[in-house]
Amino acid sequence: MRQLFFSTFNHLYLVFIKAAVCLTQRKLMAGIVVFILLLNTASHARYETIEQVVAIVEDDVVLASEIRDQMAEIHQRLSAKKQPLPDDNRLFEQVLEQKILDSLQLQRADKIGLRISDQQLNDAMASIAARNNLSLTEFKSSIEKQGQSYLEIRNKIRRDMMIREVQRRSVIRTINIDQGEVDNFLRSEKGQALLEIEYNIDHILLAIDVNASENTVAVANKKMSQLRSLAALEGGFPPIAGQAKIITAEHNPLGWRRFSEIPTMFQATVSELSEGIISEPIRSDSGLHIIHLLAKRGGVEGSQTETKVRHILIAPNEIRSIDEAKILAAEVRQKILA
């Protein structure tokens, strides 16, 4: 500070001397006043620290203010829960370490072009609000009432989502599953369950007493056959729910079920039905049923074979024509096959 003062003083003094040679006495007095004011300003100059860089992380920096804000947030959260506060030095190290790690992962996300869409972010915000029994609008108001910025919270959640996605992709790259492990899993009970075909079944029941007469059963069978024909015309059971109620039939969808989960009395019928087909009435102790096979999925047909491929590109350039590239590619192929 002393060096700055004397340097400023010497510079102003030289300026003053040069000016004095050319000025009249009146102008000289004005120059003295200006010189004294400048000298007084220089003597009271102070350095002010605006921001401090705590760490340089590749193309990014971690600022001291970020560390302080994070530590203050942790203190506030722990105090609200009446939990003991950690040692500041230790907490500083932990927060700094986490900031560095987050910065590296966010830079990685930027390099690979990872983006979180507004829709993904909105869904995440809505999920957080729902866990707190709030609508998204109420959640926003709650944040602002606490003196926080809703936009900053959105940005923080977006960053957290990007970091989690980078971590997920990093874990996936480290997983190496050989074909033997795949085969063993498919032979296991869980693997067989995953390969089992699932059926989406809609269902209508017309209850009939187990001891009903043949005539009663015949009448009920006719009603269900008519209902079946109407459902085929209308494209399913939901549009004919009103007609089903008229004959006291109950619409009771079974939903997606594995074959082993389908009631035994329906299994033979379901296995023969094609997608979109409605069965003939099926008799059981509880009455007459008609079922509609809406869709099916899974099974061996749903499994996929993956192939590991290696690729060599020989491109034409300034010194290699396309014909020469083809010849070279053929030579490389022969060497690989040999």
Side-chain angles (χ1 to χ4, degrees), residues 46-59:
R46 294 290 185 273
Y47 287 111
E48 181 180 353
T49 301
I50 298 175
E51 186 57 275
Q52 289 180 319
V53 174
V54 179
I56 299 175
V57 188
E58 293 189 355
D59 298 330

Side-chain angles (χ1 to χ4, degrees), residues 112-161:
I112 64 177
L114 178 61
R115 297 290 183 271
I116 300 297
S117 68
D118 288 341
Q119 184 59 51
Q120 289 174 298
L121 182 58
N122 290 337
D123 291 343
M125 298 292 288
S127 177
I128 295 172
R131 288 200 296 270
N132 289 277
N133 298 318
L134 298 171
S135 67
L136 194 56
T137 303
E138 292 171 336
F139 181 55
K140 180 179 178 181
S141 299
S142 174
I143 290 173
E144 292 173 345
K145 285 179 181 178
Q146 296 174 19
Q148 297 177 292
S149 167
Y150 181 71
L151 181 59
E152 289 181 5
I153 295 296
R154 278 180 62 89
N155 290 336
K156 182 179 183 302
I157 292 174
R158 189 192 294 272
R159 290 194 298 270
D160 290 344
M161 292 174 68

Side-chain angles (χ1 to χ4, degrees), residues 206 218-232 247 278-282 288-290:
L206 176 58
V219 171
N221 192 72
K222 183 178 180 180
K223 290 180 180 179
M224 289 293 276
S225 295
Q226 292 173 343
L227 199 61
R228 173 184 178 274
S229 299
L230 184 60
I247 64 170
I278 301 173
S279 73
E280 296 288 344
I282 304 168
L288 286 172
H289 312 258
I290 52 175

Side-chain angles (χ1 to χ4, degrees), residues 24-273:
T24 62
Q25 186 174 4
R26 183 176 179 181
K27 291 181 179 180
L28 179 61
M29 291 301 296
I32 292 173
V33 172
V34 172
F35 174 74
I36 292 173
L37 290 173
L38 290 173
L39 184 61
N40 185 58
T41 301
S43 66
H44 288 83
R46 294 290 185 273
Y47 287 111
E48 181 180 353
T49 301
I50 298 175
E51 186 57 275
Q52 289 180 319
V53 174
V54 179
I56 299 175
V57 188
E58 293 189 355
D59 298 330
D60 193 16
V61 294
V62 178
L63 302 177
S65 60
E66 295 177 314
I67 304 295
R68 288 195 300 269
D69 291 345
Q70 186 68 39
M71 290 177 65
E73 183 181 333
I74 293 173
H75 281 161
Q76 183 179 8
R77 187 167 61 247
L78 293 178
S79 297
K81 296 180 180 179
K82 297 182 179 180
Q83 295 181 356
L85 300 179
D87 175 71
D88 279 349
N89 291 333
R90 178 58 180 157
L91 181 60
F92 178 89
E93 293 176 0
Q94 292 175 341
V95 172
L96 176 59
E97 182 179 346
Q98 187 61 51
K99 286 289 184 183
I100 292 173
L101 183 59
D102 289 350
S103 176
L104 288 171
Q105 292 177 116
L106 288 171
Q107 290 182 73
R108 172 63 180 166
D110 185 61
K111 288 177 181 177
I112 64 177
L114 178 61
R115 297 290 183 271
I116 300 297
S117 68
D118 288 341
Q119 184 59 51
Q120 289 174 298
L121 182 58
N122 290 337
D123 291 343
M125 298 292 288
S127 177
I128 295 172
R131 288 200 296 270
N132 289 277
N133 298 318
L134 298 171
S135 67
L136 194 56
T137 303
E138 292 171 336
F139 181 55
K140 180 179 178 181
S141 299
S142 174
I143 290 173
E144 292 173 345
K145 285 179 181 178
Q146 296 174 19
Q148 297 177 292
S149 167
Y150 181 71
L151 181 59
E152 289 181 5
I153 295 296
R154 278 180 62 89
N155 290 336
K156 182 179 183 302
I157 292 174
R158 189 192 294 272
R159 290 194 298 270
D160 290 344
M161 292 174 68
M162 292 176 69
I163 289 171
R164 286 197 298 271
E165 181 61 21
V166 169
Q167 292 171 344
R168 187 188 69 83
R169 295 188 183 189
S170 298
V171 170
I172 289 175
R173 285 201 304 270
T174 63
I175 298 175
N176 184 22
I177 302 175
D178 60 37
Q179 188 59 42
E181 291 175 301
V182 174
D183 293 338
N184 290 336
F185 173 75
L186 293 178
R187 285 192 292 267
S188 69
E189 183 178 347
K190 189 173 182 179
Q192 289 296 314
L194 289 175
L195 288 178
E196 191 175 359
I197 299 176
E198 290 183 297
Y199 301 86
N200 189 7
I201 303 170
D202 207 354
H203 166 250
I204 289 180
L205 166 66
L206 176 58
I208 303 175
D209 189 272
V210 67
N211 297 317
S213 65
E214 291 184 4
N215 183 58
T216 301
V217 173
V219 171
N221 192 72
K222 183 178 180 180
K223 290 180 180 179
M224 289 293 276
S225 295
Q226 292 173 343
L227 199 61
R228 173 184 178 274
S229 299
L230 184 60
L233 290 174
E234 296 294 336
F237 294 163
I240 63 165
Q243 287 84 347
K245 286 183 179 180
I246 293 174
I247 64 170
T248 67
E250 181 182 358
H251 180 210
N252 182 26
L254 300 181
W256 283 103
R257 298 198 180 193
R258 294 189 177 92
F259 189 78
S260 58
E261 298 170 342
I262 298 173
T264 306
M265 59 184 171
F266 298 150
Q267 287 182 351
T269 302
V270 168
S271 63
E272 295 174 357
L273 287 178

